Amino acid sequence: MRSGPTPRDPGTEDATTFAAGAVEPRGQDFYTRSGNPNHAQAAAVVAELEGTEGAMVTASGMAAITTAVLALVSSGDHVIGQKSTYGGTASVLLNLLPRLGVSTTLVDQRDPEEFEKALTSKTRLILVETPSNPLLQITDLRAVAGLARAHGVLTLADNTFATPLNQRPADFGIDVVWHSATKYLNGHSDVSAGVLAGPAKILDRIWDTSLLTGATLGPTDPWLLLRGIRTLPLRVPRHNDNGLALAEALSSHPAVTRVHYPAALPHLRRRRRVRGHRTGRPAQHRQQADEGGLLRSRTRRGCLSSRRTRCRSRREARQQAARGQLPDPDRPPPPYTRTTPCGSPPAAGDTPHSHSET
Ligand SMILES: Cc1ncc(COP(=O)(O)O)c(C=O)c1O
């Protein structure tokens, strides 16, 4: 019998077909679409981080959510999602599910009562994401999980932005936690992966569907993902500190009209000084160990720091280029840059990869 990689020696197992262990297709020694030793190893680490019974890995975050939803709902069912949510998730709710006869309702997640009001006798699933992409809005996980459970409805939480170091949704009663592991979990921008973590019984249902969708992670990717996760405890506190410093700097910047950040800043500094005192505070302070590294800012019209606000007249852009504040709008952009809808090129340093909503 092959021993396979161990946690101390996470080598890669890149065979697609195995001779041993064929009695258990769900096991790691059958066929790589069913799972291989590297998948199992990465999944075990994620389950431990999220505090869940089990976990599974998928080819991307979208593969995780789409496979999970397809596994858990059928035609005629109803699903509740959030108004502020990652665009791909919104598209599953607004485009994919309705085409399959599943109705959906999107609610303002800042108020748990909105979820309750949207419940129907057909509701099978509630999808939450907190903090949300792109508005960093907070969902009260305990409140939503509680009301879902009371109505026999399953909950799925996207924990991509928080990471399990800042928030563990299962601790608040969420059934299944999922991630775009492409982001913080891997942390090296060289893997596309997703994870689902939750009770074995629900994961078995999702795994059955993943066998059909074939949303399988390649055998080398879990090895890279494990390499990335090893530095998560070093990276996340630094991201948290950078997020806070940037949120504070932008909040007092004259060109910035609004900063979307999970906490009210003056209270946050104080809270960090008295860590552990969490009672009577807003949901994010009860459920998140820290605010995380992500934020979004809005700038005054005509300011240069955000791609959205660069949609101004070409005349204004030319004037700014003449003053040396912007690349010349009449000069073709370098081949690797995208142009904004109004045709002005991205500012220096704003590469296509810096867009926070992807
Ligand atoms: C919050 C969030 N969830 C899910 C996804 C989708 O993940 P992936 O790109 O790995 O499919 C993204 C992608 O940006 C995201 O930001």
Side-chain angles (χ1 to χ4, degrees):
M1 206 175 102
R2 181 173 39 69
S3 62
T6 66
R8 284 185 180 199
D9 174 23
T12 53
E13 177 56 82
D14 53 12
T16 55
T17 321
F18 303 93
V23 282
E24 169 51 290
R26 175 72 209 265
Q28 38 177 290
D29 293 324
F30 184 67
Y31 181 61
T32 225
R33 180 155 48 85
S34 316
N36 88 355
N38 298 110
H39 291 170
Q41 198 175 41
V45 170
V46 171
E48 196 171 332
L49 284 172
E50 287 291 356
T52 55
E53 188 182 357
M56 58 182 274
V57 291
T58 57
S60 65
M62 284 315 298
I65 184 63
T66 305
T67 307
V69 167
L70 290 177
L72 300 175
V73 298
S74 305
S75 175
D77 289 346
H78 173 243
V79 175
I80 302 173
Q82 302 184 164
K83 282 185 181 158
S84 173
T85 195
Y86 170 61
T89 307
S91 196
V92 168
L93 288 159
L94 295 172
N95 302 318
L96 180 69
L97 290 180
R99 274 207 287 123
L100 303 177
V102 177
S103 59
T104 57
T105 307
L106 271 54
V107 301
D108 182 338
Q109 68 264 28
R110 291 168 296 184
D111 181 0
E113 276 184 22
E114 293 284 311
F115 289 91
E116 189 148 28
K117 279 192 231 152
L119 281 168
T120 74
S121 59
K122 302 253 160 86
T123 309
R124 297 284 168 270
L125 205 57
I126 299 182
L127 304 184
V128 296
E129 179 183 316
T130 181
S132 67
N133 179 0
L135 295 178
L136 287 307
Q137 288 178 351
I138 303 298
T139 312
D140 186 331
L141 291 171
R142 194 187 295 283
V144 175
L147 71 91
R149 208 152 275 197
H151 290 83
V153 171
L154 288 176
T155 45
L156 251 73
D158 185 339
N159 204 27
T160 301
F161 269 26
T163 81
L165 270 66
N166 283 335
Q167 170 177 278
R168 299 209 314 178
D171 291 350
F172 302 95
I174 293 292
D175 294 301
V176 178
V177 182
W178 70 282
H179 284 261
S180 166
T182 318
K183 308 290 175 350
Y184 279 124
L185 286 188
N186 179 55
H188 287 64
S189 304
D190 55 6
V191 167
S192 164
V195 296
L196 289 149
K201 225 169 134 183
I202 301 178
L203 292 179
D204 280 348
R205 283 170 69 187
I206 301 174
W207 181 83
D208 283 344
T209 301
S210 84
L211 210 52
L212 303 179
T213 56
T216 314
L217 192 59
T220 317
D221 293 336
W223 182 83
L224 287 169
L225 178 57
L226 281 169
R227 173 248 13 216
I229 290 176
R230 250 180 250 124
T231 57
L232 196 65
L234 299 173
R235 288 185 280 114
V236 170
R238 182 61 68 92
H239 281 301
N240 292 341
D241 288 345
N242 288 348
L244 174 60
L246 196 54
E248 287 189 325
L250 287 171
S251 317
S252 53
H253 194 287
V256 175
T257 54
R258 180 143 187 213
V259 177
H260 295 271
Y261 185 64
L265 294 168
H267 303 298
L268 179 60
R269 278 272 181 223
R270 223 175 311 131
R271 182 168 76 84
R272 280 195 162 191
R273 280 201 297 271
V274 288
R275 266 181 205 283
H277 292 263
R278 300 273 156 82
T279 47
R281 291 166 190 276
Q284 75 269 26
H285 295 177
R286 292 191 304 266
Q287 69 196 24
Q288 287 180 225
D290 210 304
E291 281 26 63
L294 288 159
L295 57 115
R296 177 188 170 114
S297 66
R298 285 176 193 273
T299 48
R300 270 182 226 295
R301 250 176 94 73
C303 287
L304 308 181
S305 50
S306 129
R307 181 176 300 176
R308 280 171 204 281
T309 58
R310 285 198 299 276
C311 287
R312 69 202 162 272
S313 73
R314 292 188 74 78
R315 191 164 61 89
E316 197 183 344
R318 272 189 214 105
Q319 285 165 355
Q320 285 173 328
R323 292 198 295 269
Q325 295 169 328
L326 248 196
D328 184 346
D330 295 325
R331 221 178 54 202
Y336 54 85
T337 56
R338 281 191 305 212
T339 50
T340 56
C342 64
S344 56
D350 190 4
T351 68
H353 301 294
S354 65
H355 186 32
S356 75
E357 287 171 49
T358 54

